[in-house]
Structure formats: structure tokens, C-alpha cells
Amino acid sequence: MVRIGFVGIGVMGKYMCQHLMASGHTATVFSRTAAKCCPLVSKGATFCYTPREVAAASDVVFTMVSQPTDVRDVVFNPETGIFAGLRNGGTFVDMTTSTPSLAVEIAREAETRGFFALDAPVSGGDIGAKAGTLSIMCGGDRATFDAVRPLLDSMGKNVRLMGGAGSGQHTKMCNQILACNNMIGVCESLLYAQKAGLDAEAVIEAIGAGAAGSWAVNNLGKKVAKRDLAPGFMVQHMVKDLRIALEEANAMGLKLPGLELAERMYALLLEHGYGKDGTQALVIALERLSEEQVAS
């Protein structure tokens, strides 16, 4: 049994922590909105008032928060942060999608303090988190990865070490570049289907099993067709991720027009109040473009 700490009990974090507890580990939890921890507390988790308290009671601390700035605060805050409470030999695993440079900074600071660290962002959304089938992309040293692998396996089915510190975050950027462009294709395809008078759900069944099939069309296509915007992964988080990817691409001298287009489209949704809706809300932005074209 491992003493688990989990900071960030949101749409995905609640399921991820549940899987860790179901594997027989004790859990200490924190979230800025304390009420989100209640379902876990009812299952036996202990609630703490700061990340530092979570770390002091844990062998391995996981974070699943929103922004790189949130990661920096919950880790480095000298009064309330994880590194202020983690004991020598403890392990920190950040599962937030964050910047590769911050992951490297955390790993270096962890080493100086006698801790171990991994960056381990995930893919699969709330569906994968609930089912325990996430893809988990890790950056760090092999020994630390091997030590926490059984814990990661309880949350995901595709768990890989991609290289040193920051490599997990770079791999997640590859994932988001592909995911955002896939979503453009799904939304455009189903808009076309509906405009042509086709049954969108029948189209999904027809093309989802062929060469054009993808996780996005098979899992989110019906939501697109019904304009069901309930989030698995929020627009505001996708905007954050795509801006990180653009910054990294620019730093490497890469020009990625598909990524640039997707960032503009999602940023438009954010500006119009769709930040807390799911990424399939992209269909709304595409519909508006079509309406503007007709109007002109």
C-alpha cells in the first residue's frame, strides 16, 4: 500500500484518484473547491487544506490542475506548496498539461531537495479517466518511472516513458496538435453531412469504422451532431495547450499552420463564452463562419 496524495480533484482528477484508491492505496486530497473532494472523502480519502499538508502525509503526490501557473504555485509556494511538505525520498508526479520548461525546472529542484519527479500528462479525457484507460506520457528517469508504474497502470492502459524531464510534456503537445486538427475534421465532416441532408449518426457509423475513423469521431461525433457541448475536455484548457504548443513550435523554428488555425478557432470560442464547454463546441465556431459567409 502506498500513501497517495492528489491535488486537483476536477473532471478527470476525481476518477483518477478513485482508481488509485480502488487499487488499495490510501489517499489524501486537496482541491481549491473543497466540495469537489466530498465524493472521495465519502470513500475514505482524507481532505487537507493545503497541498503542503497533502505532501506531508504522502509517499507519492499527483497533481492535475489547470494552468502552468497553478502547477508552479502548488509545487513551489514556500508556505503551502508540495515541496514545502514532501519528505526526503518522496515522489512528485505532475499529470497537468504544462510547459516542458517547467517540468525540467521541477525535476531539477526535486533532485536538489532529495525528491523524485515525473511529468506525466494524459490523453483520453473524462471518458478515459473514468474507464481507467488513459494514455500517460512520462518524462523523467527510468528508476522513478518504474517505481510509480504500478500506480500509473491503475489510471491508464498506455503508459510510456518518452525520455528525460519535459519529454512527457513535449509528447502531449504532439497529441494536442493532432487532436485539435482531428476535431476540425470531425466538425467540418458532420456539418457537411447535415447540410447535405444526411443522418449524422449514420454517417459516424459508416465512416468511423473505415480509414477516416478516429477516437474523436467515434467518441465525440454524436455530441457534435446533437450540439451537446458537455465537457470532457474544456475549450479553455485546449486554448492553453495550443498556446503552449505554438510557443514551443516557434522556439524550434517550426511553422505549423494547422495548429495556428485551431488556436484561432478555439480562442474565438473562448472569447464568446464557451470556455467551459467541451472541445466539440468547435462546431459552433464553424457554423458561425458559414453564417457569416452566407450573410456576406
Side-chain angles (χ1 to χ4, degrees):
M1 181 179 71
V2 179
R3 298 181 307 158
I4 298 299
F6 211 104
V7 174
I9 307 300
V11 172
M12 296 176 65
K14 62 182 179 182
Y15 296 122
M16 295 160 71
C17 190
Q18 281 178 13
H19 288 305
L20 290 165
M21 293 172 67
S23 297
H25 307 294
T26 61
T28 304
V29 298
F30 167 83
S31 196
R32 285 180 297 186
T33 305
K36 292 181 179 179
C37 297
C38 289
L40 294 173
V41 171
S42 70
K43 295 177 183 293
T46 300
F47 176 76
C48 286
Y49 291 94
T50 66
R52 179 177 184 167
E53 293 175 31
V54 170
S58 306
D59 302 312
V60 181
V61 180
F62 295 89
T63 48
M64 188 66 168
V65 294
S66 297
Q67 303 285 337
T69 51
D70 298 322
V71 175
R72 180 175 293 281
D73 184 58
V74 300
V75 173
F76 291 132
N77 188 297
E79 300 298 326
T80 63
I82 291 167
F83 278 12
L86 196 61
R87 298 177 184 179
N88 186 61
T91 301
F92 171 68
V93 182
D94 182 27
M95 307 191 82
T96 311
T97 299
S98 184
T99 62
S101 60
L102 180 55
V104 171
E105 182 182 350
I106 288 171
R108 288 174 177 167
E109 182 64 20
E111 185 176 10
T112 65
R113 294 176 181 240
F115 308 151
F116 302 98
L118 284 180
D119 50 287
V122 305
S123 178
D126 64 323
I127 295 171
K130 187 174 183 179
T133 57
L134 293 169
S135 290
I136 305 177
M137 300 150 266
C138 301
D141 67 81
R142 170 64 66 176
T144 303
F145 173 76
D146 289 343
V148 301
R149 177 69 187 268
L151 301 175
L152 299 174
D153 283 340
S154 71
M155 297 180 281
K157 296 301 182 187
N158 182 22
V159 181
R160 297 177 182 272
L161 179 64
M162 304 307 298
S167 297
Q169 298 295 352
H170 276 303
T171 306
K172 182 61 185 289
M173 291 303 104
C174 296
N175 183 90
Q176 297 304 73
I177 292 166
L178 185 57
C180 70
N181 282 288
N182 276 346
M183 187 55 71
I184 290 175
V186 169
C187 292
E188 288 187 345
S189 175
L190 295 179
L191 276 174
Y192 180 97
Q194 290 175 322
K195 200 69 174 178
L198 300 173
D199 181 329
E201 293 195 18
V203 169
I204 292 166
E205 296 297 326
I207 67 178
S214 66
W215 187 95
V217 73
N218 289 320
N219 287 276
L220 297 176
K222 290 182 179 180
K223 285 190 172 185
V224 171
K226 295 176 181 177
R227 303 304 186 266
D228 176 359
L229 306 185
F233 189 70
M234 294 182 187
V235 166
Q236 63 187 15
H237 296 152
M238 179 61 88
V239 171
K240 176 262 295 183
D241 293 356
L242 298 185
R243 286 174 178 170
I244 293 172
L246 278 172
E247 289 174 4
E248 295 295 329
N250 290 335
M252 293 185 282
L254 284 176
K255 182 71 173 176
L256 302 177
L259 172 60
E260 292 173 0
L261 172 62
E263 190 277 331
R264 289 198 300 272
M265 298 295 289
Y266 277 113
L268 182 65
L269 284 173
L270 189 61
E271 290 171 8
H272 284 84
Y274 292 93
K276 293 188 181 299
D277 291 310
T279 53
Q280 69 273 15
L282 186 65
V283 69
I284 303 298
L286 291 169
E287 281 181 319
R288 288 188 174 183
L289 283 177
S290 295
E291 290 168 1
E292 290 172 4
Q293 180 175 325
V294 170
S296 62

